[in-house]
Amino acid sequence: MTTRLDTQEHRHTLPKGFKLQEYQIERVLGKPGGFGVTYLALDTNLHQSVAIKEYMPGDFAVRDGVSSVCVRSQIDESSFQWGLQCFLDEARILAKFKHPNIVRVLRFFEENGTAYMVMEYQEGYCLADYLKEKEKLVENELLDIALPLMDGLQQVHEMGLLHRDIKPNNIYIRHDRSPVLLDFGSARYAVSQRSRSVTSIVSPGYAPLEQYDNILDIQGAWTDIYALGAVMYRSISGEDPPAATRRVIKDPMIPAVEIGKNRYRQALLQAIDWALALSEEDRPRSIVAWREKIMLPPPEQVQHSPQKKIDHLLRLNQAQRYVAIIAGITIVGLALTVGVLLDKHRELIAALETQKNTYETTLQTERTRFTTQLAEQSDAISNVEKNARQLQNTIEQLSKFGVQTAMESFIANVENGEPLPSNNVSNTPSSHYFKVSAKVADDDVLNVRQFPNPRAGIVGIIPPASKCVLYLDTFYVFKNAVWVLVQFDNVKGWVNSSFLVETQECPPHEQ
């Protein structure tokens, strides 16, 4: 049968039967994305299937004829070339990997005005389809998928590369049940940092909060850890986690320790919740630290008899523990008395004495550990209360600027799949005036910064007790603080809203 080269499965893709060097295009794999197209092709020299990823950024490139790729306009040329170089750099790094759980790049080359990455073709099924069929995974099945991927990600991170788009659709399960991670998104992220026409990679439910912002470069290993943690959460709950943007004001996500209780190990569930912390500073800093937490054994498996009996004793309530201690000491005392009366049992006396000493030492050690655990729990409760107070303060600051309606609209857009803005800054309905609060001392000033970040550069100052500071309808939530865009005289920039108080002493602002 002769293949027609003018028949295309999708718009702007290479047609079936097209010859690309020694490769013959067979079909498009999946749905073409906004940054590239992946094809199933035949290596006509080796007679084996391969997957080929083509650099085809739909934001600023089009197909010219059957094969050639060109920019939409001259203004897009620098962005296209930058993305092309990032694509080749990513391929060059991936080609160095020969890890069984990371997609292997066989070669890469430039042709048709663009570039191509040739990869091993994986036969099997994607995790997203498997979870639709099975809904949830048991612990052993989940770890058989997650742990090999962690091992591969650790090597990727050590090479200075991030995946940036881990989700069930990008995890493939081979026929031998081994997982492989596909479709890296680092090149797309690099282009989004340079070009406003390319948005960040955001897969709702799997992308952490920092991936919604093209301005702040705070991504790292913890970014991939959040995404893989979300995959594990989906595997134990049967549902995608809520989008990170929905979790900012009032988090609707039920913790894994509650969803998986009595079905999975406590350490595993705690590790999943650790990975899904909203702030990047509260997540594991490396795959190594996260994996150590996941692999902690259950308490009953740490040691065996006689220590197992001692651990069981420590789980008794306080009254039961003292009764057991008194009973144990009484038994040892009786044994010693019998030993004194019976010369023939002196060896037994020595053994019992040793056992008593060991028993008392162990009890003292466990009593100390119990006291330490109580202190740690008290500290944890204090931290929770502190975080709650900080969140309440953030909500109060947001309410001061009347942004609740705007935030609800922003979250609704995210849930409905509407396009997101290029950064995390939102707008409120109206402008009004504020004055500098008494929190700023008489001999101090209010710093105005270039970006909503306490470490950003200072562009000006506002003297203490100043009035008629104009709020410009724009705010940004950064680490439990609400930053607002203001204008005072000739100074325009970002200030911490905790130092502003609304005032009615100024003339109405004319729009």
Side-chain angles (χ1 to χ4, degrees):
M1 181 178 68
T2 303
T3 302
R4 291 185 58 193
L5 295 183
D6 59 347
T7 301
Q8 294 175 301
E9 292 184 74
H10 302 275
R11 186 182 180 187
H12 301 313
T13 63
L14 295 174
K16 180 180 179 180
F18 183 83
K19 287 296 294 290
L20 187 66
Q21 295 195 7
E22 68 266 34
Y23 307 104
Q24 180 172 305
I25 301 298
E26 295 189 344
R27 61 183 173 88
V28 175
L29 291 174
K31 184 180 179 181
F35 194 71
V37 185
T38 303
Y39 304 92
L40 173 64
L42 176 67
D43 185 330
T44 56
N45 289 339
L46 302 177
H47 297 284
Q48 65 182 19
S49 295
V50 295
I52 300 179
K53 187 174 182 179
E54 178 185 43
Y55 172 62
M56 177 63 181
D59 292 305
F60 41 74
V62 295
R63 184 82 62 187
D64 184 13
V66 176
S67 59
S68 297
V69 174
C70 62
V71 295
R72 292 181 180 273
S73 63
Q74 190 63 34
I75 196 173
D76 296 321
E77 180 66 30
S78 62
S79 295
F80 179 86
Q81 294 299 330
W82 170 257
L84 180 66
Q85 188 58 52
C86 292
F87 181 89
L88 292 170
D89 289 343
E90 180 179 290
R92 188 172 291 106
I93 294 175
L94 290 175
K96 298 178 182 178
F97 286 105
K98 292 185 180 179
H99 194 281
N101 305 109
I102 299 295
V103 61
R104 186 178 178 188
V105 174
L106 303 175
R107 59 173 296 208
F108 54 93
F109 56 88
E110 295 185 60
E111 194 166 315
N112 299 326
T114 186
Y116 299 88
M117 189 187 309
V118 183
M119 301 168 288
E120 286 185 339
Y121 175 63
Q122 307 296 332
E123 295 187 1
Y125 49 88
C126 80
L127 181 59
D129 294 337
Y130 186 63
L131 289 175
K132 287 179 183 178
E133 177 183 341
K134 195 167 183 180
E135 189 174 347
K136 299 177 184 178
L137 303 180
V138 298
E139 180 169 324
N140 288 342
E141 191 174 17
L142 173 59
L143 293 179
D144 285 345
I145 294 173
L147 292 179
L149 294 181
M150 289 180 195
D151 186 55
L153 272 178
Q154 180 181 339
Q155 291 192 21
V156 170
H157 293 167
E158 289 172 354
M159 292 289 290
L161 188 67
L162 298 177
H163 188 284
R164 289 192 170 93
D165 195 22
I166 299 173
K167 56 187 176 182
N169 279 326
N170 286 340
I171 297 174
Y172 219 64
I173 309 299
R174 302 184 182 99
H175 292 314
D176 64 359
R177 312 288 292 176
S178 63
V180 60
L181 192 56
L182 311 174
D183 204 10
F184 279 63
S186 288
R188 180 184 177 93
Y189 170 75
V191 177
S192 71
Q193 292 289 89
R194 182 183 178 97
S195 173
R196 291 183 176 272
S197 65
V198 179
T199 56
S200 297
I201 296 175
V202 175
S203 297
Y206 298 93
L209 200 58
E210 63 263 26
Q211 282 192 274
Y212 285 83
D213 198 323
N214 281 359
I215 297 177
L216 298 177
D217 187 13
I218 53 176
Q219 298 187 32
W222 47 90
T223 303
D224 284 345
I225 288 173
Y226 183 101
L228 186 53
V231 172
M232 297 172 71
Y233 184 94
R234 165 64 182 86
S235 300
I236 69 170
S237 68
E239 297 180 355
D240 293 331
T245 49
R246 290 186 56 204
R247 301 178 58 200
V248 173
I249 302 300
K250 184 177 181 181
D251 193 350
M253 188 177 76
I254 303 173
V257 291
E258 296 182 22
I259 290 180
K261 188 176 181 180
N262 299 325
R263 295 189 295 117
Y264 303 88
R265 286 182 300 107
Q266 183 78 355
L268 172 60
L269 298 175
Q270 290 173 344
I272 293 175
D273 286 334
W274 188 19
L276 289 174
L278 261 181
S279 173
E280 75 281 355
E281 294 180 348
D282 296 332
R283 292 183 222 135
R285 309 308 288 174
S286 68
I287 291 290
V288 173
W290 190 35
R291 184 169 47 207
E292 287 178 355
K293 175 66 174 177
I294 289 174
M295 298 309 296
L296 284 178
E300 63 270 16
Q301 293 181 5
V302 175
Q303 291 180 324
H304 299 284
S305 181
Q307 185 63 39
K308 184 176 180 180
K309 296 180 181 179
I310 295 174
D311 288 342
H312 175 70
L313 177 63
L314 292 173
R315 287 194 294 269
L316 300 175
N317 61 39
Q318 195 70 20
Q320 290 173 317
R321 184 182 302 178
Y322 286 134
V323 170
I325 291 172
I326 293 170
I329 294 175
T330 301
I331 292 171
V332 172
L334 290 174
L336 288 173
T337 302
V338 173
V340 171
L341 296 175
L342 301 173
D343 262 352
K344 294 182 180 180
H345 296 304
R346 289 182 180 180
E347 291 182 2
L348 176 61
I349 293 173
L352 288 174
E353 185 68 29
T354 300
Q355 182 179 2
K356 185 192 76 167
N357 293 336
T358 302
Y359 187 74
E360 290 175 346
T361 301
T362 302
L363 287 178
Q364 181 60 38
T365 300
E366 296 303 329
R367 186 180 293 109
T368 302
R369 188 177 72 176
F370 179 74
T371 302
T372 302
Q373 289 176 345
L374 285 178
E376 291 175 349
Q377 290 175 0
S378 177
D379 291 342
I381 293 172
S382 297
N383 288 334
V384 170
E385 292 174 347
K386 177 182 177 182
N387 291 336
R389 288 194 298 270
Q390 290 176 341
L391 179 58
Q392 181 61 36
N393 181 59
T394 301
I395 293 173
E396 290 174 357
Q397 292 181 57
L398 288 171
S399 300
K400 180 170 69 176
F401 291 89
V403 301
Q404 183 175 2
T405 301
M407 179 61 71
E408 291 175 351
S409 174
F410 175 78
I411 293 173
N413 287 341
V414 174
E415 292 175 335
N416 295 332
E418 297 294 333
L420 293 172
S422 62
N423 54 42
N424 237 10
V425 178
S426 302
N427 292 324
T428 55
S430 63
S431 300
H432 46 277
Y433 285 97
F434 286 77
K435 62 182 181 179
V436 179
S437 72
K439 292 182 180 179
V440 177
D442 293 338
D443 58 349
D444 205 348
V445 295
L446 179 60
N447 290 325
V448 182
R449 300 186 180 274
Q450 183 178 9
F451 297 109
N453 185 326
R455 295 192 295 268
I458 298 175
V459 298
I461 61 172
I462 300 177
S466 295
K467 300 179 180 179
C468 300
V469 178
L470 178 59
Y471 168 50
L472 298 179
D473 300 340
T474 304
F475 75 95
Y476 186 91
V477 179
F478 181 78
K479 296 184 178 177
N480 297 320
V482 179
W483 289 75
V484 292
L485 187 63
V486 300
Q487 175 83 41
F488 183 78
D489 292 338
N490 295 325
V491 178
K492 179 179 178 182
W494 293 87
V495 299
N496 191 323
S497 67
S498 62
F499 298 107
L500 298 180
V501 178
E502 191 169 7
T503 179
Q504 302 297 327
E505 304 175 18
C506 303
H509 174 61
E510 295 183 2
Q511 299 290 335

